[in-house]
Amino acid sequence: MKKLVLTAAALAMSAGMALAGSHATTVRMGTEGAYPPYNFINDAGEVDGFERELGDELCKRAELTCEWVTNDWDSIIPNLVSGNYDTIIAGMSITPERDEVIDFTQEYIPGSPSAYVALSDDVDTTGGVIAAQTATIQAGYVADSGATLVEFATADETIAAVRNGEADAVLADKDFLAPIVAESNGELKFVGDDVVIGGGVGMGVRESDTELKEKFNAAIQSMKDDGSLNALIRKWFGEDAQTF
Amino acid sequence: MSACLDTIVAYGLRSIGIGERLLPKRDFTLCEHFTLIGSGLLWNLYFGILAIFFGFFLANAIAMAKANRRWWLRKPAEWFIFIFRGSPLFIQFFLFYEAFVLLPKMGWDINLGFTEITVETRWLTRAWLGALIVLILNTTAYSAEIFYGALKSIPKGDIEAADAYGLTGWKRYRRIIWPTMLRLAWPAYTNEAIFLFHATTLVFFSGFPAWRQKGDALYYASYFADKTFNPFVAYPILAGYFILLTLTVIAVYGAINRRLNRHLPQEARRKLRIRPNVVR
Amino acid sequence: MFSWCTDPDTLEGLAWLSCYLTTGKHMAFYRSFGTVMVLLLVTAPVALAFGFAGAMAARSHFAPLRWLGKGYTAVVRGVPDIAFFLFFVIALDQGIEYLRHRIKCPDWSEPIRQGNDFVVCPAAKMPLSSAPQWVHETYGFALAVITFAIVFGAFAANVLYGGMRAVPRAQMETAEAYGMSRRQAFWRIMVPQMWVYALPGLGNLWMILIKATPLLFLLGVEDIVYWARELGGSKTSAFTYPHPDWRLYYFLALLVFYLLLTRVSEIVLDRLMARLTHGQATSGAKSGGRAADKGLAI
């Protein structure tokens, strides 16, 4: 009898601790910090961009304390599942492959198109040499399209490859490319049709973390309902950006 | 089992562009892991073997230049060794790649008698040539320093004996100095070879872009780790392959070492064995 | 930073550059040079300790311990450090959290592995998720130090093992003749003498360690390569200081940094060697001098 009571007490205690723990814990937001305007490190050395502003607002609405951490893109999912941070908010498109390993909240950016950028108009996007960042959905798309895929470790290098003639064109998120094209003084231009790969962009969470996922889902929904999400998208991606 | 044979046929030479063009996308099997990573290993072998081959001859020349009394031979050799040994290979890859893409795109036709080939500067930006050049220069610098160290520690008596026998110039070098140098340098040179093979994993990781998903062992290992989001399968397989490769290098170099030392009495041979660890 | 930096768009030339080079981000870049130096200075003794333990194990008369010591050096030396870094840190981190979980939350009923997820109780998190950012960074740094130390410990073990064997046998025999036990002879005769033989190899290892530091960014530490890439990449006008691709200049700066560090180390090691071998005629001291060293995959 005594033993039973003790176990029960221990259970109650640990449950209490878990509860107290969940209040005290900070949600760590993992991002890449190298993909403007989604997320980047500003000149003060802090995480900035669309997702920083969005994430802070979501945390406020969900009444969570949030902390920002950056992680290399290549290992961003392994580090989430091993618990080094609790969410991925890094312009990550929702794809079936990723969905098998982690869970996504609802989209906070509608399915955004990818686009080809090149130096001249007469580029063959299905037979030429196309640059893409390693381990992105665009790299997979180019490999399937029949074009010659050249992979670079960072997005910056893919643009450089087009500029110096290594690659005929680059395939990347249109939102990422737009400011670069706009500021290239006509040197770079969009070619071919936009392609839609994968779904929209959502926050990644561990599959076991359903509670957190629901909190963020509710917060995103509330931002969609009052129109503040659309305003935020327009602020960072321009007036023509797709909204909800 | 037969499914695995199919995989090997499809992907065994994928890294050099033979076989299935598209990489597996989902439901990865262990067989696919082993086959593709092993296929990528071909590139590591290619870079390692060729760099060691060319580097060996260049290193001999540079080591001689560094040991030379004339400053205009010695100084450039010293600087070459210092710059390549003093900076991370990672940064050397980056700087060379940047330099190679700046070269104007040109081509020359070279008539080989039976066939005509076009040599293009564009090749320099490709890993198979550009990265190979960087690796050759890098291993040349390290090996040259090893050879130079060995050259300096050749027992004076050996050279005096050669003089006494009337050996001079080229003959003295070829018969006495060079073999002794090689014998003394060999253990350290073995380590250099091991490290060079390890260094080849950096080629596609940070230096040169991978074309048509043709990459080395690390490239495919990180492809799997990226698709399965699980680093605990692909990287240990890669590690296993490299342990085998290292053991092979040690065996080959050990055989050469025995040949180099075969004239020595048993006792002296063992003595020399001790030194490798110290020199390393 | 400076008073004139309030509106960077209007600045030009040197004034612009002076503001650009003193942004918060550049300060973080400059600090990361300190990070690299601290890593080098902390890792070296830890790796030496690992190496000493490894060498002692490899010399042990107890067979399993000997296999452990030899296996450790053989396996770690056989694997490219880059491959090791890519999975080892996560494994180490999970291992630590697993142990803490077993100790701190014995009543936890949920499985730790849920599909792909690695879930431990909140109290076992290392560091606690509510801990401030600097604790997380320090922890990440400590993991990097341990990982580096394990890799370089294997090489150091090899060098020290060689150093121990290079101590003339006659010395040990003399010690035994004076009635010292094996243990006494080891600590009083062999250990003090082996350093001279091991120093050239250890010096080379230090050079290799210097050149392996660019791999730190793989371990999640924001080191000089991380910042050089980050700062050098082209910046659109979303940034306060837009500029084209300047990675070349940043990497040239890193090149100079590494060359200087190597040069200074070479001079210090040469002096140390000259002092240690003063009046001593050891072949190890002479021939080993500057012979072999090579960036571990770098």
Side-chain angles (χ1 to χ4, degrees):
Chain A
M1 189 59 205
K2 197 177 169 192
K3 195 176 171 193
L4 214 133
V5 173
L6 264 180
T7 344
L11 264 177
M13 256 181 70
S14 65
M17 264 166 62
L19 266 180
S22 78
H23 275 294
T25 51
T26 313
V27 174
R28 291 165 55 77
M29 312 276 272
T31 191
E32 189 198 5
Y35 205 56
Y38 289 88
N39 57 75
F40 55 90
I41 311 287
N42 66 16
D43 291 297
E46 285 161 358
V47 177
D48 200 346
F50 167 75
E51 281 164 338
R52 172 72 202 246
E53 207 169 316
L54 173 75
D56 285 346
E57 178 63 26
L58 291 177
C59 289
K60 210 169 86 192
R61 292 186 184 217
E63 292 174 348
L64 298 163
T65 328
C66 291
E67 181 123 37
W68 289 85
V69 279
T70 53
N71 194 89
D72 210 38
W73 177 255
D74 284 345
S75 61
I76 205 161
I77 289 181
N79 275 304
L80 174 78
V81 296
S82 99
N84 288 342
Y85 34 81
D86 306 303
T87 69
I88 295 174
I89 173 162
M92 185 175 271
S93 302
I94 302 170
T95 64
E97 290 89 0
R98 289 174 182 150
D99 213 7
E100 274 176 27
V101 182
I102 58 174
D103 265 358
F104 284 98
T105 63
Q106 58 168 306
E107 302 173 355
Y108 58 78
I109 298 177
S112 63
S114 304
Y116 291 98
V117 162
L119 292 173
S120 66
D121 289 319
D122 55 345
V123 166
D124 180 5
T125 53
T126 52
V129 178
I130 310 292
Q133 190 180 356
T134 316
T136 53
I137 50 172
Q138 285 87 6
Y141 180 84
V142 175
D144 293 345
S145 73
T148 303
L149 168 67
V150 209
E151 288 167 288
F152 293 86
T154 59
D156 253 330
E157 284 165 283
T158 61
I159 309 285
V162 173
R163 282 218 164 95
N164 65 37
E166 270 293 281
D168 299 334
V170 51
L171 181 64
D173 279 335
K174 196 167 186 180
D175 295 329
F176 165 75
L177 293 170
I180 298 172
V181 171
E183 285 171 34
S184 68
N185 298 324
E187 191 193 1
L188 295 168
K189 55 190 76 169
F190 285 110
V191 295
D193 297 324
D194 293 352
V195 285
V196 179
I197 321 163
V201 173
M203 276 170 79
V205 293
R206 277 183 296 276
E207 289 190 322
S208 53
D209 240 355
T210 40
E211 197 189 339
L212 189 67
K213 187 175 106 177
E214 290 319 317
K215 276 186 190 163
F216 276 115
N217 266 338
I220 294 172
Q221 194 56 48
S222 83
M223 283 188 75
K224 277 182 179 170
D225 292 343
D226 66 10
S228 54
L229 183 58
N230 284 344
L232 202 58
I233 292 177
R234 278 196 210 95
K235 175 186 166 192
W236 284 94
F237 298 106
E239 287 301 321
D240 316 330
Q242 266 187 299
T243 54
F244 288 102
Chain B
M1 195 59 222
S2 67
C4 190
L5 274 179
D6 290 344
T7 307
I8 293 174
V9 169
Y11 291 115
L13 296 172
R14 176 61 179 79
S15 65
I16 50 174
I18 299 172
E20 206 58 41
R21 198 174 66 83
L22 294 178
L23 297 182
K25 289 265 155 45
R26 43 178 55 229
D27 306 324
F28 303 98
T29 61
L30 266 185
C31 178
E32 282 168 345
H33 275 84
F34 275 103
T35 309
L36 264 175
I37 295 173
S39 159
L41 207 61
L42 291 175
W43 277 111
N44 299 98
L45 289 171
Y46 162 83
F47 285 125
I49 292 171
L50 284 189
I52 288 171
F53 179 78
F54 290 113
F56 178 78
F57 295 104
L58 282 171
N60 273 297
I62 303 273
M64 289 306 292
K66 186 170 175 177
N68 202 292
R69 228 175 274 123
R70 280 175 287 256
W71 66 267
W72 52 268
L73 270 175
R74 195 180 67 236
K75 280 292 159 194
E78 280 177 358
W79 272 99
F80 173 80
I81 292 176
F82 172 62
I83 287 181
F84 278 93
R85 280 178 80 238
S87 60
L89 180 56
F90 183 86
I91 288 174
Q92 291 167 19
F93 270 136
F94 175 85
L95 293 177
F96 270 91
Y97 182 73
E98 290 285 303
F100 285 151
V101 292
L102 289 180
L103 289 177
K105 302 272 181 286
M106 287 187 295
W108 296 274
D109 293 328
I110 291 183
N111 198 342
L112 294 177
F114 58 95
T115 179
E116 198 165 84
I117 57 163
T118 314
V119 178
E120 294 177 64
T121 52
R122 183 178 268 274
W123 291 351
L124 284 170
T125 62
R126 303 294 171 84
W128 69 265
L129 183 62
L132 182 63
I133 290 177
V134 179
L135 283 168
I136 289 174
L137 293 177
N138 186 274
T139 187
T140 298
Y142 280 98
S143 315
E145 184 66 24
I146 293 171
F147 291 156
Y148 171 77
L151 216 51
K152 289 276 135 180
S153 54
I154 293 177
K156 260 215 155 68
D158 285 21
I159 297 172
E160 280 162 7
D163 287 339
Y165 276 99
L167 288 172
T168 48
W170 173 243
K171 212 167 187 180
R172 187 181 70 167
Y173 175 74
R174 212 184 64 79
R175 291 271 180 84
I176 307 293
I177 296 181
W178 193 71
T180 314
M181 175 195 87
L182 218 51
R183 193 163 52 80
L184 293 177
W186 206 255
Y189 189 58
T190 309
N191 276 305
E192 162 59 22
I194 295 172
F195 281 130
L196 184 74
F197 274 104
H198 290 185
T200 57
T201 53
L202 268 183
V203 170
F204 293 105
F205 191 77
S206 68
F208 286 71
W211 284 74
R212 288 182 177 275
Q213 302 183 306
K214 290 183 276 191
D216 72 331
L218 183 65
Y219 173 85
Y220 289 114
S222 56
Y223 175 84
F224 284 119
D226 176 66
K227 291 281 183 272
T228 57
F229 309 104
N230 178 2
F232 296 124
V233 179
Y235 292 126
I237 291 176
L238 173 75
Y241 271 123
F242 264 93
I243 290 173
L244 286 182
L245 179 59
T246 306
L247 290 177
T248 314
V249 171
I250 291 175
V252 170
Y253 274 70
I256 300 177
N257 190 39
R258 273 191 299 282
R259 201 182 144 73
L260 286 173
N261 287 319
R262 71 190 185 283
H263 61 287
L264 295 177
Q266 210 66 35
E267 236 348 82
R269 257 188 249 179
R270 193 168 308 134
K271 224 178 194 168
L272 271 165
R273 279 278 176 73
I274 296 169
R275 216 184 264 172
N277 294 319
V278 184
V279 176
R280 210 243 79 69
Chain C
M1 185 77 186
F2 300 111
S3 55
W4 59 83
C5 291
T6 43
D7 189 8
D9 295 339
T10 60
L11 294 172
E12 268 182 54
L14 274 181
W16 185 89
L17 201 64
S18 69
C19 294
Y20 173 68
L21 289 177
T22 51
T23 55
K25 222 168 162 180
H26 273 87
M27 290 302 162
F29 177 50
Y30 304 141
R31 273 197 301 276
S32 67
F33 283 92
T35 311
V36 168
M37 294 306 294
V38 171
L39 176 105
L40 283 171
L41 295 177
V42 175
T43 305
V46 182
L48 206 55
F50 270 92
F52 196 75
M56 275 181 48
R59 282 174 53 86
S60 168
H61 284 265
F62 180 56
L65 198 61
R66 192 166 63 240
W67 296 331
L68 189 75
K70 297 212 166 180
Y72 162 58
T73 51
V75 168
V76 176
R77 289 180 73 216
V79 179
D81 51 359
I82 187 170
F84 200 71
F85 290 165
L86 281 170
F87 70 94
F88 186 75
V89 175
I90 294 183
L92 190 64
D93 182 41
Q94 290 190 355
I96 291 173
E97 288 190 349
Y98 177 75
L99 284 180
R100 279 172 59 95
H101 179 83
R102 295 312 292 249
I103 295 164
K104 297 212 168 191
C105 314
D107 300 321
W108 194 260
S109 54
E110 290 172 46
I112 289 184
R113 288 235 164 254
Q114 302 178 14
N116 294 295
D117 295 3
F118 179 82
V119 185
V120 293
C121 64
K125 277 270 178 222
M126 185 77 185
L128 297 174
S129 61
S130 54
Q133 183 61 17
W134 70 267
V135 176
H136 283 276
E137 274 169 22
T138 312
Y139 176 68
F141 185 79
L143 283 185
V145 167
I146 294 173
T147 314
F148 263 79
I150 288 176
V151 172
F152 284 88
F155 290 92
N158 203 39
V159 172
L160 291 177
Y161 185 73
M164 288 175 188
R165 291 203 351 178
V167 174
R169 265 218 62 75
Q171 296 269 351
M172 297 299 284
E173 279 161 11
T174 313
E176 274 161 31
Y178 274 93
M180 285 191 195
S181 68
R182 263 185 64 86
R183 177 181 295 255
Q184 281 174 324
F186 176 75
W187 286 107
R188 295 190 192 170
I189 306 297
M190 184 175 276
V191 172
Q193 289 195 62
M194 70 177 195
W195 297 110
V196 162
Y197 299 96
L199 190 71
L202 292 178
N204 295 332
L205 219 45
W206 167 257
M207 300 288 196
I208 300 172
L209 184 62
I210 290 175
K211 277 163 272 166
T213 51
L215 291 183
L216 260 180
F217 81 98
L218 287 182
L219 304 180
V221 177
E222 288 172 359
D223 72 327
I224 50 181
V225 174
Y226 170 86
W227 284 114
R229 265 191 178 170
E230 172 60 41
L231 287 163
S234 60
K235 299 280 178 287
T236 61
S237 51
F239 293 85
T240 327
Y241 298 93
H243 63 75
D245 188 351
W246 280 357
R247 282 175 303 155
L248 185 60
Y249 307 110
Y250 283 92
F251 274 83
L252 281 175
L254 294 194
L255 180 74
V256 171
F257 168 73
Y258 278 109
L259 287 178
L260 280 177
L261 198 54
T262 313
R263 189 77 201 113
V264 170
S265 303
E266 264 181 8
I267 293 170
V268 171
L269 283 168
D270 276 356
R271 290 249 171 96
L272 196 63
M273 197 66 211
R275 172 168 299 183
L276 275 179
T277 56
H278 188 73
Q280 209 171 13
T282 58
S283 66
K286 263 191 191 147
S287 73
R290 306 260 304 281
D293 97 280
K294 163 77 179 172
L296 279 169
I298 273 285

